[in-house]
Coordinates of all heavy atoms in Angstrom, one line a residue:
M524 N -1.4 -8.3 13.4 CA -0.4 -7.3 13.3 C -0.6 -6.4 12.2 O -0.6 -6.8 11.0 CB 1.0 -8.0 13.2 CG 2.1 -7.3 13.7 SD 3.5 -8.5 13.7 CE 4.7 -7.5 13.0
N525 N -0.9 -5.1 12.4 CA -1.2 -4.2 11.4 C 0.0 -3.4 10.9 O 0.1 -2.2 11.0 CB -2.2 -3.2 11.9 CG -3.6 -3.8 12.1 OD1 -3.9 -4.8 11.5 ND2 -4.4 -3.3 13.0
R526 N 1.0 -4.2 10.3 CA 2.2 -3.5 9.7 C 2.4 -4.1 8.3 O 2.4 -5.3 8.1 CB 3.4 -3.8 10.6 CG 3.2 -3.2 12.0 CD 4.4 -3.5 12.9 NE 5.5 -2.7 12.4 CZ 6.7 -2.8 13.0 NH1 6.9 -3.6 14.0 NH2 7.7 -2.0 12.6
S527 N 2.7 -3.2 7.4 CA 3.1 -3.7 6.1 C 4.6 -3.9 6.0 O 5.3 -3.5 6.9 CB 2.7 -2.7 5.0 OG 3.2 -1.4 5.3
G528 N 5.0 -4.6 5.0 CA 6.5 -4.9 4.9 C 6.9 -5.2 3.5 O 6.0 -5.6 2.7
A529 N 8.2 -5.1 3.2 CA 8.7 -5.5 1.9 C 10.1 -6.0 2.1 O 10.8 -5.6 3.1 CB 8.7 -4.3 1.0
K530 N 10.5 -7.0 1.3 CA 11.8 -7.6 1.4 C 12.2 -8.2 0.1 O 11.4 -8.4 -0.8 CB 11.8 -8.7 2.5 CG 10.9 -9.9 2.2 CD 10.9 -10.8 3.4 CE 9.9 -12.0 3.1 NZ 9.9 -13.0 4.2
A531 N 13.5 -8.4 0.0 CA 14.1 -9.1 -1.2 C 14.6 -10.5 -0.8 O 15.2 -10.7 0.3 CB 15.3 -8.3 -1.7
I532 N 14.3 -11.5 -1.6 CA 14.7 -12.8 -1.3 C 15.6 -13.3 -2.5 O 15.2 -13.2 -3.6 CB 13.4 -13.8 -1.3 CG1 12.4 -13.3 -0.2 CG2 13.8 -15.2 -1.1 CD1 12.9 -13.5 1.2
G533 N 16.8 -13.8 -2.1 CA 17.7 -14.2 -3.1 C 17.3 -15.6 -3.6 O 17.0 -16.5 -2.8
T534 N 17.3 -15.8 -4.9 CA 17.0 -17.1 -5.6 C 18.0 -17.3 -6.6 O 18.9 -16.5 -6.9 CB 15.6 -17.0 -6.3 OG1 15.6 -16.1 -7.3 CG2 14.5 -16.6 -5.3
I535 N 18.0 -18.5 -7.2 CA 18.9 -18.9 -8.2 C 18.8 -18.0 -9.5 O 19.7 -17.8 -10.3 CB 18.8 -20.4 -8.5 CG1 20.1 -20.9 -9.2 CG2 17.6 -20.7 -9.4 CD1 20.3 -22.3 -9.2
N536 N 17.6 -17.5 -9.7 CA 17.3 -16.6 -10.9 C 17.6 -15.2 -10.7 O 17.6 -14.4 -11.7 CB 15.9 -16.8 -11.3 CG 15.6 -18.2 -11.8 OD1 16.4 -18.9 -12.4 ND2 14.4 -18.7 -11.5
G537 N 17.8 -14.8 -9.5 CA 18.1 -13.4 -9.2 C 17.3 -13.0 -7.9 O 17.0 -13.9 -7.1
W538 N 17.1 -11.7 -7.6 CA 16.4 -11.3 -6.4 C 14.9 -11.2 -6.7 O 14.5 -10.6 -7.7 CB 17.0 -10.0 -5.9 CG 18.4 -10.1 -5.4 CD1 19.5 -10.0 -6.2 CD2 18.8 -10.5 -4.1 NE1 20.6 -10.2 -5.4 CE2 20.2 -10.5 -4.1 CE3 18.1 -10.7 -2.9 CZ2 20.9 -10.8 -3.0 CZ3 18.8 -11.0 -1.8 CH2 20.2 -11.1 -1.8
E539 N 14.1 -11.7 -5.8 CA 12.7 -11.7 -5.9 C 12.1 -10.6 -4.9 O 12.5 -10.6 -3.7 CB 12.1 -13.1 -5.5 CG 10.7 -13.3 -5.8 CD 10.4 -14.8 -5.5 OE1 10.8 -15.7 -6.2 OE2 9.7 -15.0 -4.5
A540 N 11.2 -9.8 -5.3 CA 10.6 -8.8 -4.5 C 9.3 -9.3 -3.9 O 8.5 -9.9 -4.5 CB 10.3 -7.5 -5.4
Q541 N 9.2 -9.2 -2.5 CA 8.1 -9.6 -1.8 C 7.5 -8.5 -0.9 O 8.3 -7.7 -0.4 CB 8.4 -10.8 -1.0 CG 8.7 -12.1 -1.8 CD 8.8 -13.3 -1.0 OE1 8.7 -13.3 0.3 NE2 8.9 -14.4 -1.6
Y542 N 6.2 -8.4 -0.8 CA 5.5 -7.4 0.0 C 4.4 -8.0 0.8 O 3.9 -9.1 0.5 CB 5.0 -6.3 -1.0 CG 3.9 -6.8 -1.8 CD1 2.5 -6.7 -1.5 CD2 4.1 -7.5 -3.0 CE1 1.5 -7.2 -2.3 CE2 3.1 -8.0 -3.8 CZ 1.8 -7.8 -3.4 OH 0.8 -8.4 -4.2
R543 N 4.1 -7.3 1.9 CA 2.9 -7.7 2.7 C 2.1 -6.5 3.1 O 2.5 -5.6 3.8 CB 3.4 -8.4 4.0 CG 2.3 -9.0 4.8 CD 2.8 -9.8 6.0 NE 3.3 -8.9 7.0 CZ 2.6 -8.2 7.9 NH1 1.3 -8.3 8.0 NH2 3.2 -7.5 8.8
P544 N 0.8 -6.5 2.5 CA 0.0 -5.4 2.9 C -0.5 -5.5 4.3 O -0.4 -6.5 5.0 CB -1.2 -5.5 1.9 CG -0.9 -6.6 1.0 CD 0.3 -7.3 1.5
V545 N -1.0 -4.4 4.8 CA -1.5 -4.3 6.2 C -2.5 -5.4 6.5 O -2.4 -6.1 7.6 CB -2.1 -3.0 6.5 CG1 -2.7 -2.9 7.9 CG2 -1.0 -1.9 6.4
W546 N -3.4 -5.7 5.6 CA -4.4 -6.7 5.8 C -4.1 -8.1 5.5 O -4.9 -9.0 5.7 CB -5.7 -6.3 5.0 CG -5.4 -6.1 3.5 CD1 -5.4 -7.2 2.6 CD2 -5.0 -5.0 2.8 NE1 -5.0 -6.7 1.4 CE2 -4.8 -5.3 1.5 CE3 -4.9 -3.6 3.2 CZ2 -4.5 -4.4 0.5 CZ3 -4.5 -2.7 2.2 CH2 -4.3 -3.1 0.9
A547 N -2.8 -8.4 5.1 CA -2.4 -9.8 4.8 C -1.6 -10.4 5.9 O -0.9 -9.7 6.7 CB -1.7 -9.8 3.5
A548 N -1.6 -11.7 6.0 CA -0.9 -12.4 7.0 C 0.5 -12.9 6.5 O 1.4 -13.2 7.3 CB -1.7 -13.6 7.5
S549 N 0.6 -13.0 5.2 CA 1.9 -13.5 4.6 C 2.4 -12.6 3.5 O 1.6 -11.8 3.0 CB 1.7 -15.0 4.1 OG 0.7 -15.0 3.1
Y550 N 3.6 -12.8 3.1 CA 4.2 -12.1 2.1 C 3.8 -12.6 0.7 O 3.5 -13.8 0.5 CB 5.8 -12.1 2.1 CG 6.3 -11.2 3.2 CD1 6.4 -11.5 4.5 CD2 6.7 -9.9 2.8 CE1 6.9 -10.7 5.4 CE2 7.3 -9.0 3.7 CZ 7.4 -9.4 5.1 OH 7.9 -8.6 6.0
R551 N 3.7 -11.7 -0.3 CA 3.3 -12.0 -1.6 C 4.4 -11.6 -2.6 O 5.2 -10.6 -2.3 CB 2.0 -11.2 -2.0 CG 0.8 -11.6 -1.1 CD -0.3 -10.7 -1.4 NE -1.4 -10.9 -0.4 CZ -2.5 -10.3 -0.4 NH1 -2.8 -9.3 -1.3 NH2 -3.5 -10.6 0.5
T552 N 4.5 -12.2 -3.7 CA 5.6 -11.9 -4.7 C 5.1 -10.9 -5.7 O 4.0 -11.0 -6.2 CB 6.0 -13.2 -5.4 OG1 6.5 -14.2 -4.4 CG2 7.2 -13.0 -6.3
V553 N 6.0 -10.0 -6.0 CA 5.6 -9.0 -7.1 C 5.7 -9.7 -8.4 O 6.6 -10.4 -8.7 CB 6.7 -7.8 -7.1 CG1 6.4 -6.9 -8.3 CG2 6.6 -7.0 -5.8
K554 N 4.6 -9.6 -9.2 CA 4.5 -10.3 -10.5 C 4.0 -9.3 -11.5 O 3.4 -8.3 -11.2 CB 3.4 -11.4 -10.4 CG 3.8 -12.5 -9.4 CD 2.9 -13.6 -9.5 CE 3.4 -14.7 -8.5 NZ 2.6 -15.9 -8.6
E555 N 4.5 -9.6 -12.7 CA 4.1 -8.8 -13.9 C 3.5 -9.7 -14.9 O 4.1 -10.6 -15.4 CB 5.3 -8.1 -14.5 CG 5.0 -7.1 -15.5 CD 6.2 -6.3 -16.0 OE1 6.7 -5.5 -15.2 OE2 6.7 -6.6 -17.1
K556 N 2.2 -9.5 -15.2 CA 1.5 -10.3 -16.2 C 1.5 -11.8 -15.7 O 1.6 -12.7 -16.5 CB 2.0 -10.2 -17.6 CG 1.9 -8.8 -18.2 CD 2.4 -8.8 -19.6 CE 2.3 -7.3 -20.1 NZ 2.8 -7.2 -21.5
G557 N 1.4 -12.0 -14.4 CA 1.3 -13.3 -13.8 C 2.6 -14.1 -13.7 O 2.6 -15.2 -13.2
R558 N 3.7 -13.4 -14.0 CA 5.0 -14.1 -13.9 C 5.9 -13.3 -12.8 O 5.8 -12.1 -12.8 CB 5.7 -14.1 -15.2 CG 4.9 -14.8 -16.3 CD 5.7 -14.8 -17.6 NE 6.4 -16.1 -17.6 CZ 7.1 -16.5 -18.6 NH1 7.2 -15.8 -19.7 NH2 7.7 -17.7 -18.6
T559 N 6.6 -14.1 -12.1 CA 7.5 -13.5 -11.1 C 8.6 -12.6 -11.7 O 9.2 -13.1 -12.7 CB 8.1 -14.6 -10.2 OG1 7.1 -15.3 -9.6 CG2 9.0 -14.0 -9.1
V560 N 8.8 -11.5 -11.2 CA 9.9 -10.6 -11.7 C 11.1 -10.8 -10.9 O 11.1 -10.8 -9.6 CB 9.4 -9.1 -11.6 CG1 10.5 -8.2 -12.2 CG2 8.1 -8.9 -12.3
Y561 N 12.3 -10.9 -11.5 CA 13.6 -11.1 -10.9 C 14.4 -9.9 -11.1 O 14.4 -9.3 -12.2 CB 14.3 -12.3 -11.3 CG 13.5 -13.6 -11.0 CD1 12.7 -14.3 -11.9 CD2 13.6 -14.1 -9.7 CE1 12.0 -15.4 -11.6 CE2 12.9 -15.3 -9.4 CZ 12.1 -15.9 -10.3 OH 11.4 -17.0 -10.0
F562 N 15.2 -9.5 -10.1 CA 16.0 -8.3 -10.1 C 17.5 -8.6 -10.0 O 17.8 -9.7 -9.4 CB 15.6 -7.3 -9.0 CG 14.1 -6.8 -9.2 CD1 13.1 -7.5 -8.6 CD2 13.8 -5.7 -9.9 CE1 11.8 -7.1 -8.8 CE2 12.5 -5.3 -10.1 CZ 11.5 -6.0 -9.5
K563 N 18.3 -7.7 -10.4 CA 19.8 -8.0 -10.4 C 20.4 -7.7 -9.0 O 21.4 -8.3 -8.7 CB 20.5 -7.1 -11.4 CG 20.2 -7.5 -12.8 CD 21.0 -6.7 -13.8 CE 20.6 -7.1 -15.2 NZ 21.4 -6.4 -16.2
S564 N 19.7 -6.9 -8.2 CA 20.3 -6.6 -6.8 C 19.2 -6.6 -5.8 O 18.0 -6.5 -6.1 CB 20.9 -5.2 -6.8 OG 20.0 -4.2 -6.9
A565 N 19.6 -6.8 -4.5 CA 18.6 -6.9 -3.4 C 17.9 -5.5 -3.3 O 16.7 -5.4 -3.0 CB 19.3 -7.3 -2.2
L566 N 18.7 -4.5 -3.5 CA 18.2 -3.1 -3.3 C 17.1 -2.8 -4.4 O 16.0 -2.3 -4.0 CB 19.3 -2.1 -3.4 CG 18.8 -0.6 -3.3 CD1 18.2 -0.3 -2.0 CD2 20.0 0.3 -3.6
A567 N 17.3 -3.2 -5.6 CA 16.3 -3.0 -6.7 C 15.0 -3.8 -6.4 O 13.9 -3.3 -6.6 CB 16.9 -3.4 -8.0
A568 N 15.2 -5.0 -5.9 CA 14.0 -5.8 -5.5 C 13.2 -5.2 -4.4 O 12.0 -5.2 -4.5 CB 14.5 -7.2 -5.2
E569 N 13.9 -4.8 -3.4 CA 13.2 -4.2 -2.2 C 12.5 -2.9 -2.6 O 11.4 -2.6 -2.1 CB 14.1 -4.0 -1.0 CG 13.4 -3.7 0.2 CD 14.2 -3.7 1.5 OE1 15.3 -4.3 1.5 OE2 13.8 -3.1 2.5
V570 N 13.2 -2.1 -3.4 CA 12.5 -0.8 -3.8 C 11.3 -1.1 -4.6 O 10.2 -0.5 -4.4 CB 13.5 0.0 -4.6 CG1 12.9 1.2 -5.4 CG2 14.6 0.6 -3.7
A571 N 11.4 -2.1 -5.5 CA 10.2 -2.5 -6.3 C 9.1 -3.0 -5.4 O 7.9 -2.6 -5.7 CB 10.6 -3.5 -7.3
A572 N 9.4 -3.7 -4.4 CA 8.4 -4.2 -3.5 C 7.7 -3.1 -2.7 O 6.5 -3.1 -2.6 CB 9.0 -5.2 -2.5
W573 N 8.5 -2.1 -2.2 CA 7.9 -1.0 -1.5 C 7.0 -0.2 -2.5 O 6.0 0.3 -2.1 CB 9.0 -0.1 -0.9 CG 9.5 -0.7 0.4 CD1 10.8 -1.1 0.6 CD2 8.8 -0.8 1.6 NE1 10.8 -1.5 1.9 CE2 9.7 -1.3 2.6 CE3 7.5 -0.5 2.0 CZ2 9.3 -1.6 3.9 CZ3 7.1 -0.7 3.3 CH2 8.0 -1.3 4.2
R574 N 7.5 0.0 -3.7 CA 6.7 0.8 -4.6 C 5.4 0.1 -5.0 O 4.3 0.8 -5.1 CB 7.5 1.1 -5.9 CG 8.6 2.1 -5.7 CD 9.3 2.4 -6.9 NE 10.4 3.5 -6.6 CZ 11.3 3.8 -7.4 NH1 11.4 3.2 -8.6 NH2 12.2 4.7 -7.1
F575 N 5.4 -1.2 -5.2 CA 4.2 -1.9 -5.5 C 3.3 -1.9 -4.3 O 2.1 -1.6 -4.4 CB 4.6 -3.4 -5.8 CG 3.4 -4.2 -6.3 CD1 3.1 -4.2 -7.7 CD2 2.6 -4.9 -5.5 CE1 2.1 -4.9 -8.2 CE2 1.5 -5.6 -5.9 CZ 1.3 -5.6 -7.3
L576 N 3.8 -2.0 -3.1 CA 3.0 -2.0 -1.9 C 2.4 -0.6 -1.7 O 1.2 -0.5 -1.3 CB 3.9 -2.3 -0.6 CG 3.2 -2.3 0.7 CD1 2.1 -3.3 0.8 CD2 4.2 -2.5 1.8
Y577 N 3.1 0.4 -1.9 CA 2.6 1.8 -1.8 C 1.4 2.0 -2.7 O 0.4 2.6 -2.3 CB 3.7 2.8 -2.0 CG 3.3 4.2 -1.9 CD1 3.1 4.8 -0.7 CD2 3.0 5.0 -3.0 CE1 2.7 6.2 -0.6 CE2 2.6 6.3 -2.9 CZ 2.5 6.9 -1.7 OH 2.1 8.2 -1.6
A578 N 1.6 1.6 -4.0 CA 0.6 1.8 -5.0 C -0.7 1.0 -4.6 O -1.8 1.5 -4.7 CB 1.1 1.4 -6.3
L579 N -0.5 -0.2 -4.0 CA -1.6 -1.0 -3.6 C -2.4 -0.4 -2.4 O -3.6 -0.3 -2.5 CB -1.1 -2.4 -3.3 CG -2.1 -3.4 -2.8 CD1 -3.1 -3.8 -3.9 CD2 -1.4 -4.7 -2.3
E580 N -1.7 0.0 -1.4 CA -2.3 0.5 -0.2 C -2.9 1.9 -0.4 O -3.9 2.2 0.2 CB -1.3 0.5 1.0 CG -1.0 -0.9 1.5 CD -0.1 -0.9 2.7 OE1 0.6 0.1 2.9 OE2 -0.1 -1.9 3.3
Q581 N -2.3 2.7 -1.3 CA -2.8 4.1 -1.5 C -4.2 4.1 -2.1 O -4.9 5.0 -1.9 CB -1.8 4.9 -2.3 CG -0.6 5.3 -1.5 CD -1.0 6.1 -0.2 OE1 -1.7 7.1 -0.3 NE2 -0.5 5.7 0.9
R582 N -4.5 3.1 -3.0 CA -5.8 3.1 -3.6 C -6.9 3.0 -2.5 O -7.9 3.6 -2.6 CB -5.9 1.9 -4.5 CG -5.1 2.1 -5.8 CD -5.4 1.0 -6.7 NE -4.9 -0.3 -6.1 CZ -5.1 -1.5 -6.6 NH1 -5.7 -1.6 -7.8 NH2 -4.6 -2.5 -6.0
V583 N -6.6 2.2 -1.5 CA -7.5 1.9 -0.4 C -7.6 3.1 0.5 O -8.7 3.6 0.9 CB -7.2 0.7 0.4 CG1 -8.1 0.5 1.6 CG2 -7.2 -0.5 -0.5
M584 N -6.5 3.7 0.9 CA -6.4 4.8 1.8 C -7.1 6.0 1.2 O -7.8 6.7 1.9 CB -4.9 5.1 2.1 CG -4.2 4.0 2.7 SD -4.9 3.6 4.4 CE -3.7 2.3 4.8
K585 N -6.9 6.3 -0.1 CA -7.4 7.5 -0.7 C -9.0 7.5 -0.7 O -9.6 8.4 -0.4 CB -6.9 7.7 -2.1 CG -5.5 8.2 -2.2 CD -5.1 8.4 -3.6 CE -3.7 8.9 -3.7 NZ -3.2 9.0 -5.1
R586 N -9.5 6.3 -1.0 CA -11.0 6.2 -1.0 C -11.5 6.4 0.4 O -12.5 7.2 0.5 CB -11.3 4.8 -1.5 CG -12.9 4.6 -1.5 CD -13.3 3.3 -2.1 NE -12.9 3.4 -3.5 CZ -12.8 2.3 -4.3 NH1 -13.0 1.1 -3.8 NH2 -12.5 2.4 -5.6
D587 N -10.9 5.9 1.4 CA -11.4 6.1 2.8 C -11.2 7.6 3.2 O -12.1 8.2 3.8 CB -10.7 5.2 3.8 CG -11.1 3.8 3.6 OD1 -12.2 3.5 3.0 OD2 -10.4 2.9 4.1
G588 N -10.1 8.2 2.8 CA -9.9 9.6 3.1 C -10.9 10.5 2.5 O -11.3 11.5 3.2
E589 N -11.3 10.3 1.3 CA -12.3 11.2 0.7 C -13.6 11.1 1.4 O -14.2 12.1 1.7 CB -12.5 10.8 -0.8 CG -11.3 11.1 -1.6 CD -11.4 10.5 -3.0 OE1 -12.5 10.0 -3.4 OE2 -10.5 10.7 -3.8
T590 N -14.0 9.9 1.9 CA -15.2 9.7 2.6 C -15.2 10.5 3.9 O -16.1 11.2 4.3 CB -15.5 8.2 2.8 OG1 -15.6 7.6 1.6 CG2 -16.8 8.0 3.5
V591 N -14.1 10.3 4.6 CA -13.9 11.0 5.9 C -13.9 12.5 5.7 O -14.6 13.2 6.5 CB -12.6 10.5 6.6 CG1 -12.3 11.4 7.8 CG2 -12.7 9.1 7.0
M592 N -13.2 13.0 4.8 CA -13.1 14.4 4.5 C -14.5 15.0 4.2 O -14.8 16.1 4.6 CB -12.1 14.8 3.5 CG -10.6 14.5 3.9 SD -10.2 15.2 5.5 CE -10.1 16.9 5.0
A593 N -15.2 14.3 3.4 CA -16.6 14.8 3.0 C -17.5 14.9 4.2 O -18.2 15.9 4.4 CB -17.2 13.9 1.9
A594 N -17.4 13.9 5.1 CA -18.3 13.9 6.3 C -17.8 15.0 7.2 O -18.6 15.7 7.9 CB -18.2 12.5 7.0
K595 N -16.5 15.2 7.3 CA -16.0 16.3 8.2 C -16.4 17.6 7.7 O -16.8 18.5 8.5 CB -14.4 16.1 8.3 CG -13.8 17.0 9.3 CD -12.3 16.7 9.3 CE -11.6 17.5 10.4 NZ -10.2 17.3 10.4
S596 N -16.3 17.8 6.4 CA -16.7 19.1 5.8 C -18.2 19.4 6.1 O -18.6 20.5 6.4 CB -16.4 19.1 4.3 OG -15.0 19.0 4.1
A597 N -19.0 18.4 5.9 CA -20.4 18.5 6.1 C -20.7 18.9 7.6 O -21.6 19.7 7.9 CB -21.2 17.3 5.7
A598 N -20.0 18.3 8.5 CA -20.2 18.5 9.9 C -19.8 20.0 10.3 O -20.5 20.7 11.0 CB -19.4 17.6 10.8
H599 N -18.7 20.4 9.7 CA -18.2 21.8 10.0 C -19.2 22.8 9.4 O -19.5 23.8 10.1 CB -16.8 22.0 9.3 CG -15.7 21.5 10.2 ND1 -15.3 22.0 11.4 CD2 -14.9 20.4 9.9 CE1 -14.3 21.3 11.9 NE2 -14.0 20.4 11.0
A600 N -19.8 22.5 8.2 CA -20.8 23.4 7.7 C -22.0 23.5 8.5 O -22.6 24.6 8.8 CB -21.1 23.0 6.3
L601 N -22.4 22.4 9.1 CA -23.6 22.3 9.9 C -23.4 23.1 11.2 O -24.2 23.9 11.6 CB -24.0 20.9 10.2 CG -25.2 20.7 11.2 CD1 -26.5 21.2 10.5 CD2 -25.3 19.2 11.5
F602 N -22.3 22.9 11.9 CA -22.0 23.5 13.2 C -21.7 25.0 13.0 O -22.0 25.8 13.9 CB -20.9 22.8 13.9 CG -21.3 21.5 14.5 CD1 -20.8 20.3 14.0 CD2 -22.2 21.4 15.5 CE1 -21.2 19.1 14.5 CE2 -22.6 20.2 16.0 CZ -22.1 19.1 15.5
A603 N -21.2 25.4 11.9 CA -20.9 26.9 11.6 C -22.2 27.6 11.5 O -22.4 28.7 12.0 CB -20.1 27.0 10.3
K604 N -23.3 27.0 10.9 CA -24.6 27.6 10.8 C -25.2 27.7 12.2 O -25.8 28.8 12.5 CB -25.5 26.8 9.9 CG -25.1 26.8 8.5 CD -26.0 25.9 7.6 CE -25.6 25.9 6.2 NZ -26.4 24.9 5.4
Q605 N -25.1 26.7 13.1 CA -25.6 26.8 14.4 C -25.0 27.8 15.3 O -25.6 28.5 16.1 CB -25.6 25.4 15.0 CG -26.5 24.4 14.4 CD -26.4 23.0 15.1 OE1 -25.5 22.8 15.9 NE2 -27.3 22.1 14.6
E606 N -23.7 28.0 15.1 CA -22.9 29.0 15.9 C -23.3 30.4 15.5 O -23.4 31.3 16.3 CB -21.4 28.8 15.8 CG -20.9 27.5 16.5 CD -19.4 27.3 16.2 OE1 -18.8 28.1 15.6 OE2 -18.9 26.3 16.7
A607 N -23.6 30.6 14.2 CA -24.0 31.9 13.7 C -25.4 32.3 14.2 O -25.7 33.5 14.4 CB -24.0 31.9 12.2
L608 N -26.3 31.3 14.4 CA -27.6 31.6 14.9 C -27.6 31.9 16.4 O -28.5 32.6 16.9 CB -28.5 30.4 14.6 CG -28.8 30.1 13.2 CD1 -29.6 28.8 13.0 CD2 -29.5 31.3 12.5
A609 N -26.6 31.5 17.2 CA -26.6 31.6 18.6 C -26.3 33.0 19.1 O -26.0 33.9 18.5 CB -25.6 30.7 19.2

């Protein structure tokens, strides 16, 4: 299933933020310096999970996008020269 997700889980210490990247099968907990972060509300926890997930996935997406755009630009430059010669 290629869908990412984020959710808030209520615990005795507060709300825990969890996220699931596209390439993962299970949810992971948002941590700071190796320790689980707890939030005062479910909304704050879910927002933090979505922001963490976005930052994580965008690093991967940007790298692939640059490669695709460079190849596309090179192809357009090549075909533009061929059309000019015809």
